[in-house]
Coordinates of all heavy atoms in Angstrom, one line a residue:
T1 N 133.2 96.5 84.4 CA 132.6 95.8 83.2 C 131.6 96.7 82.5 O 131.1 96.2 81.4 CB 131.9 94.6 83.7 OG1 130.8 94.9 84.5 CG2 132.9 93.7 84.6
G2 N 131.2 97.8 83.0 CA 130.1 98.6 82.4 C 128.7 98.1 82.8 O 127.7 98.5 82.3
N3 N 128.7 97.1 83.8 CA 127.5 96.5 84.3 C 127.6 96.4 85.8 O 128.6 95.8 86.3 CB 127.3 95.2 83.6 CG 125.9 94.5 84.0 OD1 125.4 94.6 85.1 ND2 125.4 93.8 83.0
P4 N 126.7 96.9 86.6 CA 126.8 96.9 88.0 C 126.5 95.6 88.7 O 126.8 95.4 89.9 CB 125.8 98.0 88.5 CG 124.7 97.9 87.4 CD 125.4 97.7 86.2
N5 N 126.0 94.6 87.9 CA 125.5 93.4 88.5 C 126.7 92.5 88.9 O 127.8 92.5 88.3 CB 124.6 92.7 87.6 CG 123.2 93.4 87.5 OD1 122.5 93.4 88.4 ND2 123.0 94.0 86.3
G6 N 126.5 91.6 89.9 CA 127.5 90.7 90.3 C 126.9 89.7 91.4 O 125.8 89.9 91.9
N7 N 127.7 88.7 91.7 CA 127.2 87.7 92.7 C 126.8 88.4 94.0 O 127.6 89.2 94.5 CB 128.3 86.7 92.9 CG 128.5 85.8 91.7 OD1 127.6 85.7 90.8 ND2 129.7 85.2 91.6
G8 N 125.7 88.0 94.6 CA 125.3 88.4 95.9 C 124.6 89.7 95.9 O 124.2 90.2 97.0
L9 N 124.4 90.4 94.8 CA 123.7 91.7 94.7 C 122.3 91.5 94.1 O 122.1 90.7 93.2 CB 124.5 92.6 93.9 CG 125.8 93.1 94.4 CD1 126.6 93.9 93.4 CD2 125.6 94.0 95.7
P10 N 121.3 92.3 94.5 CA 120.0 92.3 93.8 C 120.2 92.6 92.3 O 121.0 93.5 92.0 CB 119.2 93.3 94.5 CG 119.9 93.5 95.9 CD 121.3 93.2 95.7
Q11 N 119.5 91.9 91.5 CA 119.6 92.1 90.1 C 119.2 93.5 89.7 O 118.1 94.0 90.1 CB 118.7 91.1 89.3 CG 118.7 91.3 87.8 CD 120.0 91.1 87.1 OE1 120.8 90.3 87.6 NE2 120.3 91.7 86.0
W12 N 120.0 94.2 88.9 CA 119.8 95.6 88.5 C 119.6 95.6 87.0 O 120.6 95.5 86.2 CB 120.9 96.5 88.9 CG 120.7 98.0 88.8 CD1 119.7 98.6 88.1 CD2 121.5 99.0 89.4 NE1 119.9 100.0 88.2 CE2 121.0 100.2 89.0 CE3 122.6 99.0 90.2 CZ2 121.5 101.4 89.4 CZ3 123.2 100.2 90.6 CH2 122.6 101.4 90.2
D13 N 118.4 95.7 86.5 CA 118.2 95.7 85.0 C 118.5 97.1 84.4 O 118.3 98.2 85.1 CB 116.7 95.4 84.7 CG 116.4 94.0 85.1 OD1 117.3 93.2 85.3 OD2 115.1 93.7 85.3
K14 N 118.9 97.2 83.2 CA 119.1 98.4 82.5 C 117.8 99.1 82.3 O 116.7 98.5 82.3 CB 119.8 98.2 81.2 CG 119.0 97.5 80.1 CD 119.8 97.4 78.9 CE 119.0 96.7 77.8 NZ 119.8 96.6 76.5
L15 N 117.8 100.4 82.2 CA 116.6 101.3 82.1 C 115.9 101.0 80.8 O 116.5 101.0 79.7 CB 117.0 102.7 82.2 CG 115.9 103.8 82.2 CD1 115.0 103.5 83.5 CD2 116.4 105.2 82.2
D16 N 114.6 100.7 80.9 CA 113.8 100.5 79.7 C 112.7 101.6 79.8 O 111.8 101.5 80.7 CB 113.2 99.1 79.8 CG 112.2 98.8 78.6 OD1 112.0 99.7 77.8 OD2 111.7 97.7 78.6
S17 N 112.7 102.5 78.8 CA 111.7 103.6 78.8 C 110.3 103.1 78.8 O 109.4 103.8 79.3 CB 112.0 104.6 77.7 OG 111.9 103.9 76.4
A18 N 110.1 101.9 78.2 CA 108.7 101.4 78.1 C 108.2 100.8 79.5 O 107.0 100.8 79.7 CB 108.6 100.3 77.0
N19 N 109.2 100.4 80.3 CA 108.9 99.8 81.6 C 110.0 100.2 82.6 O 110.7 99.3 83.0 CB 108.7 98.3 81.5 CG 108.3 97.7 82.8 OD1 107.7 98.3 83.6 ND2 108.7 96.4 83.0
P20 N 110.1 101.5 82.9 CA 111.2 102.0 83.7 C 111.3 101.4 85.1 O 110.2 101.4 85.8 CB 111.1 103.5 83.6 CG 109.6 103.7 83.4 CD 109.2 102.6 82.6
K21 N 112.4 101.0 85.5 CA 112.6 100.5 86.9 C 113.9 101.2 87.4 O 114.8 101.5 86.7 CB 112.8 99.0 86.9 CG 111.5 98.3 86.5 CD 111.7 96.8 86.6 CE 110.4 96.0 86.2 NZ 110.6 94.6 86.2
T22 N 113.9 101.4 88.7 CA 115.0 102.1 89.4 C 115.5 101.2 90.6 O 114.7 100.6 91.3 CB 114.5 103.4 90.0 OG1 114.2 104.3 88.9 CG2 115.6 104.1 90.9
M23 N 116.8 101.1 90.7 CA 117.4 100.4 91.9 C 117.3 101.3 93.1 O 118.0 102.3 93.1 CB 118.8 99.9 91.6 CG 119.5 99.3 92.8 SD 118.6 97.8 93.4 CE 118.9 96.7 92.0
V24 N 116.5 100.9 94.0 CA 116.4 101.7 95.3 C 117.5 101.1 96.2 O 117.4 100.0 96.6 CB 115.0 101.6 95.9 CG1 115.0 102.3 97.3 CG2 113.9 102.1 95.0
I25 N 118.4 102.0 96.5 CA 119.6 101.5 97.3 C 119.3 101.9 98.8 O 119.2 103.1 99.1 CB 120.9 102.1 96.8 CG1 121.2 101.7 95.4 CG2 122.1 101.8 97.7 CD1 122.4 102.3 94.8
D26 N 119.2 100.9 99.6 CA 118.9 101.1 101.0 C 119.3 99.8 101.8 O 120.0 99.0 101.2 CB 117.4 101.3 101.2 CG 117.1 102.2 102.5 OD1 117.8 102.0 103.5 OD2 116.1 102.9 102.5
V27 N 118.9 99.6 103.0 CA 119.3 98.5 103.8 C 118.9 97.2 103.0 O 119.7 96.2 102.9 CB 118.7 98.5 105.2 CG1 119.1 97.2 105.9 CG2 119.1 99.7 105.9
N28 N 117.7 97.2 102.4 CA 117.3 96.1 101.6 C 117.1 96.6 100.2 O 116.0 97.1 99.8 CB 116.0 95.4 102.1 CG 116.3 94.8 103.5 OD1 117.2 93.9 103.6 ND2 115.5 95.2 104.5
S29 N 118.1 96.7 99.4 CA 118.1 97.3 98.0 C 117.2 96.4 97.1 O 117.2 95.2 97.2 CB 119.5 97.4 97.5 OG 120.2 98.3 98.3
Q30 N 116.4 97.1 96.2 CA 115.6 96.3 95.3 C 115.3 97.1 94.1 O 115.2 98.4 94.2 CB 114.3 95.8 96.0 CG 113.5 96.9 96.6 CD 112.3 96.4 97.3 OE1 111.7 95.4 97.0 NE2 111.8 97.2 98.3
L31 N 115.1 96.4 93.0 CA 114.7 97.1 91.7 C 113.2 97.3 91.8 O 112.4 96.4 92.1 CB 115.0 96.2 90.6 CG 115.0 96.8 89.2 CD1 116.1 97.8 89.0 CD2 115.1 95.7 88.1
T32 N 112.8 98.6 91.6 CA 111.4 99.0 91.8 C 110.8 99.7 90.6 O 111.5 100.6 90.0 CB 111.3 100.0 93.0 OG1 111.9 99.3 94.1 CG2 109.9 100.4 93.3
P33 N 109.6 99.4 90.2 CA 109.0 100.1 89.1 C 108.8 101.6 89.3 O 108.5 102.0 90.5 CB 107.6 99.4 88.9 CG 107.8 98.1 89.6 CD 108.7 98.3 90.7
V34 N 109.0 102.4 88.3 CA 108.9 103.8 88.4 C 107.4 104.2 88.3 O 106.8 103.8 87.3 CB 109.8 104.5 87.4 CG1 109.5 106.0 87.4 CG2 111.2 104.2 87.6
T35 N 106.9 105.0 89.2 CA 105.5 105.4 89.1 C 105.3 106.9 89.0 O 104.1 107.4 88.9 CB 104.7 104.9 90.4 OG1 105.4 105.5 91.5 CG2 104.8 103.4 90.5
N36 N 106.4 107.7 89.0 CA 106.2 109.1 89.0 C 106.8 109.8 87.7 O 107.1 111.0 87.8 CB 106.9 109.7 90.2 CG 108.4 109.3 90.4 OD1 108.9 108.8 89.4 ND2 108.9 109.6 91.5
T37 N 106.9 109.1 86.6 CA 107.5 109.7 85.4 C 106.7 111.0 85.0 O 107.2 111.9 84.4 CB 107.5 108.7 84.3 OG1 108.3 107.6 84.7 CG2 108.1 109.3 83.0
A38 N 105.4 110.9 85.2 CA 104.5 112.1 84.8 C 105.0 113.4 85.3 O 104.8 114.4 84.7 CB 103.1 111.8 85.2
R39 N 105.5 113.4 86.6 CA 105.9 114.7 87.1 C 107.1 115.2 86.5 O 107.3 116.4 86.3 CB 106.1 114.6 88.6 CG 107.3 113.9 89.1 CD 107.2 113.6 90.6 NE 108.5 113.4 91.3 CZ 108.6 112.8 92.5 NH1 107.5 112.5 93.2 NH2 109.8 112.7 93.1
Y40 N 108.0 114.4 86.0 CA 109.2 114.9 85.2 C 108.8 115.4 83.8 O 109.4 116.3 83.3 CB 110.2 113.8 85.1 CG 110.7 113.3 86.5 CD1 110.5 112.0 86.9 CD2 111.3 114.2 87.4 CE1 110.9 111.6 88.2 CE2 111.6 113.8 88.7 CZ 111.4 112.5 89.0 OH 111.8 112.1 90.3
I41 N 107.8 114.7 83.2 CA 107.3 115.2 81.9 C 106.7 116.6 82.1 O 106.8 117.4 81.2 CB 106.4 114.2 81.3 CG1 107.1 112.9 81.0 CG2 105.7 114.7 80.1 CD1 106.2 111.7 80.5
L42 N 106.0 116.8 83.2 CA 105.4 118.1 83.5 C 106.5 119.1 83.7 O 106.4 120.2 83.1 CB 104.5 118.0 84.7 CG 104.0 119.4 85.2 CD1 103.0 119.9 84.2 CD2 103.3 119.2 86.6
L43 N 107.5 118.8 84.5 CA 108.6 119.8 84.7 C 109.3 120.1 83.4 O 109.7 121.2 83.1 CB 109.6 119.2 85.7 CG 109.1 119.2 87.2 CD1 110.2 118.6 88.1 CD2 108.6 120.6 87.6
E44 N 109.4 119.1 82.5 CA 110.1 119.3 81.3 C 109.4 120.4 80.4 O 110.1 121.1 79.7 CB 110.2 118.0 80.5 CG 111.0 118.0 79.2 CD 111.3 116.6 78.7 OE1 110.4 115.8 78.9 OE2 112.3 116.4 78.1
S45 N 108.1 120.5 80.6 CA 107.4 121.5 79.8 C 107.7 122.9 80.2 O 107.4 123.9 79.5 CB 105.9 121.2 79.9 OG 105.4 121.5 81.2
F46 N 108.3 123.1 81.4 CA 108.6 124.4 81.9 C 110.0 124.9 81.5 O 110.4 126.0 81.7 CB 108.6 124.4 83.5 CG 107.2 124.1 84.0 CD1 107.1 123.3 85.2 CD2 106.1 124.5 83.4 CE1 105.9 123.0 85.7 CE2 104.8 124.2 83.9 CZ 104.7 123.5 85.0
Y47 N 110.8 124.0 80.9 CA 112.2 124.3 80.6 C 112.4 124.3 79.1 O 111.9 123.4 78.4 CB 113.2 123.3 81.2 CG 113.1 123.3 82.7 CD1 112.7 122.1 83.4 CD2 113.3 124.4 83.5 CE1 112.6 122.0 84.7 CE2 113.1 124.3 84.9 CZ 112.8 123.1 85.5 OH 112.6 123.1 86.9
N48 N 113.1 125.3 78.6 CA 113.4 125.4 77.2 C 114.4 124.4 76.8 O 115.4 124.2 77.6 CB 113.8 126.8 76.8 CG 112.7 127.8 77.0 OD1 111.5 127.5 76.7 ND2 113.1 129.0 77.4

């Protein structure tokens, strides 16, 4: 369908750059707010 969601699965929202969340897939999977974006922005400054 182009959408991973379905009955019986934790809700997985699409990525919103203003409020990014990631689906952590583990024994108890859950959608989790992203807290480390700053480190990727830093790395981005090192690459042309």
Side-chain angles (χ1 to χ4, degrees):
T1 68
N3 185 323
N5 290 291
N7 291 336
L9 292 171
Q11 176 66 28
W12 190 347
D13 296 340
K14 68 180 181 179
L15 186 62
D16 178 359
S17 59
N19 184 26
K21 295 179 181 180
T22 293
M23 176 57 69
V24 177
I25 298 177
D26 207 328
V27 177
N28 296 305
S29 300
Q30 57 183 330
L31 195 66
T32 304
V34 175
T35 59
N36 56 10
T37 301
R39 74 191 200 196
Y40 301 118
I41 294 174
L42 173 64
L43 290 181
E44 188 168 28
S45 69
F46 299 142
Y47 303 118
N48 294 325

